[in-house]
Amino acid sequence: MPHRKFWREAVACCMHKDEVILAVWLALEAGENMTQHGHTKETTNENINDFEISKKAMSLTLPLPLMSRMNILSVLIIGEETTGTGTIPPLTNKPTWIIDPIDGTTNFASGLPLSCVSIGFCLEGKPYMGVVYAPMTNELYVAVKGRGAYRNGIRLSGCTGEKAGKTLSKAVVCFEFGYARTQEGIDDMVNAVRRLLEHGVRTTRTLGSGVLDLCYVACGRMDVVYTGMAEEGWKPWDYCAGLVVAVEAGCTISHLKHDGENDFEADGTMKENWQYNLYSRSMICGVNPILVEQCRDVVLNASSKKGFV
């Protein structure tokens, strides 16, 4: 199996080494299952019964023996498939896994290579560890709080050098439109992009996988990503693992706009990085805090008051 050596440094002397190792193996095993589908998509070898995409069950991608070990090593599991359309369980101080066995479901179902397994682990109600495996590109991201972020064993530094001074006019900006289809929602999302283009950016991207969006900002492939202008806001399993990768790589992640009291610190500033509210309906993540502020202001139509580039 690939990547055996890629996570050793991240888990060295780690208090929760067992959880990190389990998450890595779980992600790799799940990725192998995804690869089988991806390699046969739209070929004569495709078996349409391999994956029931409209009802993607966790058991289809995550090996059951390892899932059993997850329940032993911690108390709670929060995931897209375990939650379904119901209310998302609150994040408590108990050790908790936050999982999306296939992020970028539409990409995956269509045979596009940008999808991944996302496994986050929280302690004391905050993200602690993130493992992301993109099987079609064979990239494994591993990050532990205070231990750095790694892609295939190489430490990420996408927020250093020229990226540390990146401004909006030179930035690659990513956004995800999601499934908002009301006239108001469409107007909010499209007008935000219009303001970005009118202001001037290097280019824009929409990739279809929120977790990979965060990982790609962390490794410098893109400069900033946002979501939450309308009903397209993400869920905890879209944020958790990617947040750890991004923050440990030096990125700034915060809320795009004011969505509730849980998005604010006591002094009225919006929470960011490790204090970010995983249940928020909006998010913005960039390679430096100035770029995050610039992009937020343009997207929310506040840039006329600032006069930045």
Side-chain angles (χ1 to χ4, degrees):
M1 184 175 290
H3 304 298
R4 287 184 179 179
K5 64 181 180 179
F6 290 161
W7 37 270
R8 291 176 181 171
E9 188 170 350
V11 303
C13 303
C14 176
M15 289 179 56
H16 292 271
K17 183 176 180 179
D18 288 345
E19 282 83 357
V20 179
I21 293 174
L22 173 61
V24 169
W25 279 98
L26 185 59
L28 294 175
E29 289 283 351
E32 286 294 313
N33 291 342
M34 292 171 64
T35 301
Q36 295 171 20
H37 171 79
H39 286 171
T40 60
K41 177 65 180 174
E42 299 301 334
T43 70
T44 56
N45 292 327
E46 180 180 9
N47 181 355
I48 61 174
N49 295 318
D50 283 347
F51 287 83
E52 188 181 4
I53 301 300
S54 62
K55 298 179 180 179
K56 61 171 183 147
M58 188 174 293
S59 60
L60 291 176
T61 52
L62 302 186
L64 292 178
L66 289 177
M67 284 299 298
S68 297
R69 285 192 60 194
M70 268 190 161
N71 284 307
I72 293 172
L73 285 175
S74 64
V75 178
L76 299 173
I77 298 177
I78 296 174
E80 183 173 7
E81 279 57 58
T82 57
T83 301
T85 59
T87 302
I88 303 173
L91 184 59
T92 69
N93 286 333
K94 296 180 180 179
T96 303
W97 297 99
I98 298 184
I99 302 171
D100 191 350
I102 306 178
D103 184 68
T105 311
T106 301
N107 285 350
F108 176 72
S110 303
L112 293 170
L114 296 179
S115 57
C116 64
V117 184
S118 177
I119 302 175
F121 183 65
C122 294
L123 293 174
E124 300 297 325
K126 301 296 180 184
Y128 174 77
M129 175 265 290
V131 172
V132 176
Y133 181 46
M136 304 306 173
T137 57
N138 201 31
E139 291 182 325
L140 175 68
Y141 297 85
V142 179
V144 178
K145 185 176 183 179
R147 306 293 304 178
Y150 298 80
R151 183 188 68 217
N152 290 358
I154 300 174
R155 189 157 187 167
L156 298 180
S157 58
C159 302
T160 60
E162 62 94 14
K163 293 284 186 179
K166 179 79 69 171
T167 57
L168 186 58
S169 61
K170 298 178 180 179
V172 177
V173 181
C174 179
F175 53 86
E176 299 293 348
F177 273 170
Y179 300 100
R181 295 297 182 266
T182 65
Q183 189 61 55
E184 181 181 4
I186 292 171
D187 288 344
D188 287 344
M189 293 187 297
V190 172
N191 287 336
V193 178
R194 179 181 291 110
R195 288 190 289 272
L196 285 169
L197 297 177
E198 289 173 347
H199 173 276
V201 297
R202 181 182 176 189
T203 190
T204 62
R205 292 289 183 267
T206 298
L207 305 183
S209 168
V211 177
L212 289 182
D213 290 344
L214 292 170
C215 290
Y216 287 178
V217 171
C219 61
R221 291 173 177 169
M222 302 187 298
D223 299 307
V224 61
V225 57
Y226 73 86
T227 186
M229 284 301 297
E231 303 103 302
E232 90 282 19
W234 299 351
K235 301 295 191 295
W237 44 82
D238 298 312
Y239 296 127
C240 186
L243 178 149
V244 183
V245 174
V247 174
E248 280 298 312
C251 298
T252 296
I253 184 169
S254 184
H255 304 284
L256 177 65
K257 57 184 181 178
H258 306 165
D259 282 326
E261 61 181 17
N262 291 331
D263 295 353
F264 291 92
E265 300 285 6
D267 62 2
T269 59
M270 278 191 280
K271 293 180 179 179
E272 63 180 36
N273 298 342
W274 300 116
Q275 301 305 315
Y276 176 84
N277 173 23
L278 293 178
Y279 289 72
S280 177
R281 293 174 296 187
S282 73
M283 182 278 305
I284 184 167
C285 178
V287 294
N288 67 64
I290 293 176
L291 175 58
V292 166
E293 181 181 1
Q294 291 178 342
C295 186
R296 178 195 283 130
D297 286 342
V298 169
V299 165
L300 299 180
N301 202 26
S303 58
S304 59
K305 305 174 183 178
K306 302 274 184 169
F308 53 74
V309 296

